[in-house]
Amino acid sequence: MKALALLLSCLLWGSLAKPKFPEEEKNPSFWNTWAQRTLKDALTLQVLNRNIAKNLILFLGDGMGVPTVTAARILKGQLNGCYGEEVQLEMDKFPYVALAKTYNTDAQVADSAGTATAYLCGVKANEGTVGVSAAAIRGQCNTTQGNEVTSILKWAKDAGKSVGIVTTTRVNHATPSAAYAHCVDRDWYSDGEMPPEAVQAGCKDIARQLMENIPNINVIMGGGRKYMLPENTSDVEYPSTRGTRKDGRNLIEEWVDRTKDKRGYYVWNKKDLLSINPSSVDYLMGLFEPGDLPYDLERNTSMDPSLTEMVEVAVKILKNNPEGFYLLVEGGRIDHGHHEGKAKQALHEAVEMDRAIGHAGLLTSPHDTLTVVTADHSHVFDFGGYTRRGNSIFGLAPVVSDVDQKPFTAILYGNGPGFKLVNGSRVNVSTVDYQQNNYQAQAAVPLRMETHGGEDVAVFSRGPMAHLLHGVQEQNYIPHVMAYAACIGQNKDHCQKGNSAVRSSALAPPTLGLVITVTWLLC
């Protein structure tokens, strides 16, 4: 058996014996020229962009740790016919990168609620709570009052800017809810998910807070229809699915009634979304599913919009305000793919979010728009195994295990549902379709749901004051920088004193020079 395993390994290596990389990479001048051009671009960053940020955009890849960013980069390249490793994600093109420490006040490995409070409200918080300080205890309604903290979305709205939320999850999920809600339990989507004693004590569910706390949010897009509807009301698209609300309120109808004379529109499918004229809309709510939106690989392209399509409409509506805007965009299902051990779903979600980042960049200017891309936390996802250049990111490592003599995929999880034994030993992945969309990558420890990872996450930034996002920082530092750049919230003194007046010389740095070969350009 060992001899057979050795033969298989040799065959795998032999088939890859011919160097699989561009011929020009053999020439040292290729690398030297590229590095020198990068150096010249870097030197332009000595002239800092100190403009006041008219617009703020935060792209949040839920669960998008650094290994996910790298793997998504390779996937993007391979989807475009390239080797993969050499390409750039849109976020890679941002001139400034920092690291953020993600821990919650009560958790070494964070959850999405406490982290959302950090990067939206500027204070670290306990696991499972949104929009409240660490003095609030998860699930204890009576610890809410007096411990509420406000978000940068509210700071922007109070400053006269338009504001929006776009997500591929429910609009009352952990990430978006921290922008408007104050809740001691992230799972209180509607009053139907709340314990009776919490309702009786006066605590409000998250969907209700979306309607009441900041009632003039200009753009709300994502899923979550069922939490807005009474429990006896059928869903417009799936009649067998009913609402979850026990208070009898139809929050969608309430929103429509409130905005119908204010250029407001409600849509629930892609056709209606793309048929509106953004220049004639001041308020938009688009709820495209009862729960989360489908994975992009499984999306009904005639009914459900992509994240890029939602972002385009959102930016165009928000730009109607001459005072500028704040937009929160969440690629929320990266996280769900990882939890399910479905790396292919997670990485395609990341690639789609990167596409949305690029599209938003075409609709705005780094001269007056600060764009930040980051994650709330990581996952116990990684890839390795000495794979050769251009190896499919979902493919096998070039050798078999020297312990059980079985092949293994490059992508693996530290824990999760991919742990499986057959006759007491690891599954032979060559007997299954490890390239299929819902393949669950092998995991070291069996769990029904894979867990978050605890390492730092990357923070990419471009635009006014982006240079302030540098080094290794606490995650709650992010909204303070964004507020400073836009002269909102606590950070107004420097603007009033004229220290950050717009300077014509403080333009954003130019993009990278022309790539060296046509092949690289196409990638």
Side-chain angles (χ1 to χ4, degrees):
M1 186 174 183
K2 288 186 177 180
L4 179 62
L6 180 61
L7 176 61
L8 177 59
S9 294
C10 291
L11 288 173
L12 286 167
W13 279 106
S15 67
L16 298 171
K18 185 178 179 180
K20 190 181 179 183
F21 58 88
E23 185 70 20
E24 60 267 24
E25 291 185 14
K26 295 180 181 180
N27 191 334
S29 66
F30 171 86
W31 299 105
N32 291 330
T33 301
W34 189 8
Q36 287 296 314
R37 292 190 179 190
T38 303
L39 176 60
K40 289 180 180 178
D41 287 332
L43 289 171
T44 67
L45 299 180
Q46 293 179 101
V47 180
L48 300 177
N49 182 347
R50 298 181 183 273
N51 297 347
I52 295 174
K54 176 182 178 181
N55 309 312
L56 301 170
I57 305 177
L58 176 63
F59 280 93
L60 192 286
D62 199 316
M64 191 182 70
V66 172
T68 299
V69 172
T70 307
R73 178 188 304 128
I74 294 172
L75 174 59
K76 175 185 176 180
Q78 293 179 350
L79 290 172
N80 290 319
C82 302
Y83 294 97
E85 300 85 359
E86 73 285 1
V87 307
Q88 282 188 308
L89 292 167
E90 294 300 324
M91 64 187 89
D92 292 340
K93 301 172 185 177
F94 286 25
Y96 299 98
V97 182
L99 291 176
K101 297 190 284 184
T102 64
Y103 67 91
N104 296 147
T105 47
D106 63 344
Q108 185 179 77
V109 178
D111 93 313
S112 295
T115 52
T117 304
Y119 62 75
L120 291 174
C121 303
V123 300
K124 290 228 172 192
N126 291 331
E127 180 184 28
T129 66
V130 292
V132 289
S133 71
I137 302 170
R138 184 171 188 175
Q140 294 188 19
C141 174
N142 62 358
T143 65
T144 307
Q145 190 171 2
N147 294 318
E148 300 90 344
V149 291
T150 58
S151 75
I152 187 171
L153 182 141
K154 188 175 190 307
W155 309 340
K157 193 65 182 178
D158 289 346
K161 296 182 182 294
S162 292
V163 297
I165 295 168
V166 175
T167 179
T168 53
T169 67
R170 290 149 278 183
V171 295
N172 43 13
H173 207 253
T175 295
S177 64
Y180 57 82
H182 312 289
C183 193
V184 292
D185 198 315
R186 58 175 286 178
D187 295 329
W188 291 356
Y189 303 120
S190 76
D191 61 344
E193 287 75 40
M194 294 177 65
E197 57 270 22
V199 177
Q200 293 165 6
C203 277
K204 298 179 181 179
D205 63 87
I206 296 172
R208 178 181 170 186
Q209 293 191 55
L210 174 59
M211 295 296 108
E212 297 180 357
N213 287 6
I214 309 176
N216 52 355
I217 296 175
N218 300 84
V219 174
I220 303 167
M221 278 194 277
R225 283 194 302 255
K226 65 182 179 180
Y227 305 111
M228 308 288 185
L229 301 174
E231 55 187 359
N232 63 344
T233 301
S234 294
D235 184 77
V236 64
E237 188 175 6
Y238 312 101
S240 62
T241 299
R242 296 184 178 273
T244 64
R245 301 201 64 80
K246 294 184 176 181
D247 59 8
R249 294 177 64 178
N250 186 321
L251 299 180
I252 295 175
E253 287 185 355
E254 291 182 20
W255 186 91
V256 170
D257 289 342
R258 190 170 70 211
T259 62
K260 62 184 178 182
D261 296 325
K262 300 178 181 178
R263 304 207 310 170
Y265 293 84
Y266 170 72
V267 297
W268 62 269
N269 60 68
K270 175 179 175 177
K271 179 181 177 181
D272 290 347
L273 173 67
L274 299 185
S275 68
I276 67 171
N277 179 1
S279 64
S280 62
V281 177
D282 287 331
Y283 296 94
L284 173 69
M285 183 161 71
L287 301 178
F288 304 105
E289 287 289 329
D292 300 319
L293 272 60
Y295 287 121
D296 196 61
L297 282 176
E298 299 173 352
R299 180 170 58 89
N300 182 335
T301 56
S302 65
M303 292 297 294
D304 293 316
S306 67
L307 183 60
T308 300
E309 289 166 337
M310 291 191 290
V311 166
E312 177 176 359
V313 174
V315 171
K316 287 181 176 179
I317 291 173
L318 297 175
K319 285 174 69 176
N320 292 333
N321 187 344
E323 297 299 316
F325 64 84
Y326 172 87
L327 175 61
L328 167 64
V329 180
E330 182 196 21
R333 304 221 63 196
I334 301 169
D335 178 72
H336 296 175
H338 281 321
H339 277 309
E340 296 174 1
K342 300 175 180 177
K344 192 167 188 176
Q345 298 284 12
L347 295 184
H348 275 269
E349 293 295 308
V351 170
E352 171 58 22
M353 192 184 85
D354 193 66
R355 191 163 74 99
I357 293 168
H359 205 66
L362 296 176
L363 297 171
T364 58
S365 167
H367 180 72
D368 64 358
T369 301
L370 172 61
T371 304
V372 177
V373 181
T374 189
D376 46 358
H377 54 74
S378 186
H379 276 267
V380 291
F381 158 90
D382 215 332
F383 68 99
Y386 301 112
T387 48
R388 301 297 295 270
R389 177 77 177 274
N391 193 74
S392 168
I393 191 62
F394 304 115
L396 296 176
V399 296
V400 298
S401 167
D402 59 1
V403 176
D404 66 8
Q405 287 76 50
K406 293 179 181 179
F408 58 97
T409 56
I411 287 176
L412 297 168
Y413 285 95
N415 57 49
F419 177 95
K420 293 181 178 67
L421 297 177
V422 174
N423 297 324
S425 64
R426 185 171 65 91
V427 173
N428 187 333
V429 295
S430 66
T431 64
V432 299
D433 184 4
Y434 50 82
Q435 297 271 6
Q436 62 127 330
N437 292 350
N438 290 309
Y439 171 72
Q440 292 177 310
Q442 292 186 334
V445 175
L447 288 176
R448 289 186 177 89
M449 296 291 284
E450 178 263 5
T451 72
H452 295 169
E455 74 269 24
D456 299 347
V457 296
V459 185
F460 305 86
S461 57
R462 176 181 64 195
M465 300 294 177
H467 57 279
L468 298 179
L469 287 165
H470 68 102
V472 180
Q473 307 291 350
E474 296 288 353
Q475 194 170 43
N476 67 294
Y477 174 64
I478 295 171
H480 290 273
V481 170
M482 298 184 76
Y484 184 92
C487 299
I488 61 175
Q490 303 175 47
N491 299 281
K492 297 177 182 177
D493 290 348
H494 64 290
C495 306
Q496 294 168 352
K497 293 175 182 177
N499 293 336
S500 288
V502 177
R503 292 168 33 187
S504 59
S505 62
L507 296 176
T511 59
L512 289 173
L514 293 175
V515 290
I516 299 175
T517 67
V518 173
T519 300
W520 288 72
L521 179 62
L522 291 174
C523 292

